[in-house]
Amino acid sequence: MKSLGSIRRAFAPWNDPGAKPYIHFDRVTKKFGDFTAVNDLSLAIYEREFFALLGASGCGKSTLLRMLAGFEEPTSGRIMLDGQDLAGIPPYRRPVNMMFQSYALFPHMSVEKNIAFGLKQEGMPKADVEKRVTEMLKLVKLEPFAKRKPHQLSGGQRQRVALARSVAKRPKVLLLDEPLGALDKKLREETQFELMDLQQELGLTFVVVTHDQEEAMTMADRIAIMDKGQVMQVATPAEVYEAPASRFVAGFVGNVNMFEGKVAERSGNSARITGGTGAEITVENAGEAVKDTEVSFAIRPEKIRISSKRPADAINALQGEVYDIAYLGDMTVYHVRLDDGQMVRAATMNATRVADDPLTWDDRAWISFRPDAGVVLTR
């Protein structure tokens, strides 16, 4: 069986029927007055997994995290951690720690004292505290900054102090609420890989809340995409991107083109889809589509080829006019208005410094794609 996308690590307990979830949300509902923030949600997270809750503001992802931390109680349903029902257990007695976007560092304390604070509160012997703090400083590469105060550090360094303080107590689960939101783009990208490496080195279970798709795709083993208090799909980053379960997921994660039409013919896993203007598309990933039903064909921009002439080997080819062009350095994005009026986005990698088939505004152009380049969506 071929894999969708690259495999980051050989870790997939969710595919093992005998594996037991480490964290289990069992039909959890959370209401604030008349507003339902989380609606009858069930979700399984496994030990040592880097799990992301991804969604727009107000979708319920932070509420889910706060219930796991103990800052909120479910209106109904159960939350289990390592086989234990967390109902009634206060936050400070739960084997979890939470790292906030603001970092919440003590401004009057040095880096080492910030890291040591929680350990001292638990009554750990002084020698053990010093040893643990030294380990944490080395882990996050902040040994030279141990005596500095938070205001003397960069944003990325403060983020690492907060992270060291969060894992110093050796929690079973680390909860991260928009942990990289305060960092600039380049530093955020660097820190994503640092977090991944740190999670695997520590062997902890990480649950991160984010609205940043790229952040979730980069760091997580699996992603739960949420909308209006419900989980729309749980899958690996590659599966979410290449095989979205619905129009909502396809549109929320990355850029996508949607072709609407009716299934004119179905044979095995292939189908022929006819649009309202008579344009036809042949697809190999027809999924659950049934003949004579309305469907959407979703295809990512990088799966579409653009050229001035119709490719001789093209099974699916549609003609239009170049409406907009964005040169992004590593790739060029074309917006092509098809002859039926639909706007299509095509992305081409700039593998060479000179374009073989240069196109500019208002040029006539062909877009083409393979039958297996996209997926048919019925919901």
Side-chain angles (χ1 to χ4, degrees):
M1 180 180 175
K2 290 185 177 180
S3 173
L4 290 174
S6 300
I7 301 299
R8 197 176 83 218
R9 59 174 175 151
F11 176 82
W14 48 87
N15 290 334
D16 179 3
K20 292 184 178 179
Y22 196 56
I23 301 167
H24 186 206
F25 293 90
D26 182 17
R27 302 198 65 178
V28 171
T29 294
K30 178 62 180 179
K31 293 185 177 182
F32 296 97
D34 295 332
F35 175 70
T36 302
V38 176
N39 187 14
D40 195 27
L41 180 147
S42 293
L43 185 63
I45 301 171
Y46 293 85
E47 190 172 11
R48 299 174 67 95
E49 184 172 7
F50 201 134
F51 194 90
L53 298 168
L54 174 64
S57 297
C59 72
K61 58 188 188 296
S62 290
T63 300
L64 210 59
L65 204 70
R66 290 178 63 81
M67 285 192 288
L68 182 55
F71 301 132
E72 303 285 352
E73 287 293 327
T75 305
S76 63
R78 297 187 309 163
I79 302 175
M80 310 288 291
L81 173 57
D82 196 15
Q84 180 183 16
D85 192 335
L86 295 178
I89 300 177
Y92 60 88
R93 292 202 181 278
R94 298 190 180 197
V96 304
N97 217 338
M98 192 161 182
M99 180 179 153
F100 299 95
Q101 181 179 350
S102 63
Y103 308 149
L105 300 176
F106 298 111
H108 62 288
M109 292 185 182
S110 65
V111 167
E112 60 185 2
K113 287 182 178 178
N114 262 285
I115 296 171
F117 181 80
L119 303 174
K120 291 179 178 179
Q121 290 293 102
E122 286 193 337
M124 181 181 282
K126 184 178 179 181
D128 292 342
V129 170
E130 291 176 355
K131 182 180 178 182
R132 183 71 58 84
V133 170
T134 300
E135 289 174 2
M136 291 299 104
L137 288 169
K138 184 178 180 181
L139 188 67
V140 296
K141 301 178 177 62
L142 286 176
E143 300 103 313
F145 305 94
K147 303 296 182 184
R148 292 194 187 183
K149 301 286 181 62
H151 73 273
Q152 297 173 312
L153 304 174
S154 68
Q157 289 167 340
R158 288 196 294 272
Q159 191 265 354
R160 281 187 274 165
V161 175
L163 185 63
R165 185 179 64 181
S166 298
V167 300
K169 292 170 66 176
R170 298 284 196 269
K172 289 184 177 180
V173 180
L174 182 63
L175 310 177
L176 304 104
D177 190 3
E178 303 279 3
L180 311 181
L183 306 181
D184 62 67
K185 184 177 182 348
K186 188 171 183 180
L187 185 56
R188 192 161 64 242
E189 290 172 352
E190 292 173 0
T191 310
Q192 287 167 10
F193 287 96
E194 288 181 3
L195 271 177
M196 288 163 52
D197 295 340
L198 184 64
Q199 186 262 343
Q200 292 187 45
E201 186 174 342
L202 291 170
L204 299 179
T205 304
F206 278 24
V207 182
V208 61
V209 157
T210 181
H211 65 273
D212 188 315
Q213 302 157 28
E214 184 178 320
E215 192 170 290
M217 298 279 284
T218 299
M219 296 191 299
D221 295 307
R222 286 190 305 157
I223 302 170
I225 298 171
M226 295 185 63
D227 183 43
K228 298 176 182 176
Q230 295 182 316
V231 171
M232 309 305 291
Q233 183 175 2
V234 181
T236 65
E239 289 167 344
V240 164
Y241 189 80
E242 302 289 357
S246 65
R247 294 174 177 89
F248 173 83
V249 174
F252 187 80
V253 178
N255 294 303
V256 70
N257 298 292
M258 292 281 195
F259 292 92
E260 306 296 334
K262 180 180 287 188
V263 179
E265 185 180 341
R266 178 71 197 254
S267 176
N269 201 39
S270 300
R272 182 168 55 86
I273 299 171
T274 305
T277 59
E280 289 189 353
I281 296 173
T282 299
V283 300
E284 290 183 3
N285 302 314
E288 301 172 358
V290 178
K291 186 179 178 182
D292 295 330
T293 58
E294 298 289 336
V295 297
S296 297
F297 175 68
I299 182 169
R300 302 292 181 182
E302 69 275 10
K303 306 288 197 295
I304 295 178
R305 178 183 175 188
I306 183 170
S307 55
S308 58
K309 297 178 181 179
R310 176 177 178 135
D313 59 348
I315 295 174
N316 297 306
L318 302 167
Q319 195 172 23
E321 188 175 276
V322 178
Y323 184 80
D324 262 329
I325 303 174
Y327 178 79
L328 305 178
D330 58 343
M331 69 171 62
T332 299
V333 177
Y334 297 89
H335 288 186
V336 179
R337 189 194 296 277
L338 300 181
D339 290 342
D340 64 3
Q342 178 170 349
M343 193 71 75
V344 173
R345 182 184 175 113
T348 302
M349 294 301 297
N350 295 321
T352 60
R353 294 178 62 242
V354 180
D356 295 328
D357 188 10
L359 289 164
T360 188
W361 281 266
D362 301 330
D363 278 356
R364 295 291 290 169
W366 286 89
I367 64 160
S368 57
F369 47 90
R370 291 161 45 119
D372 63 353
V375 292
V376 176
L377 303 174
T378 56
R379 59 186 179 93

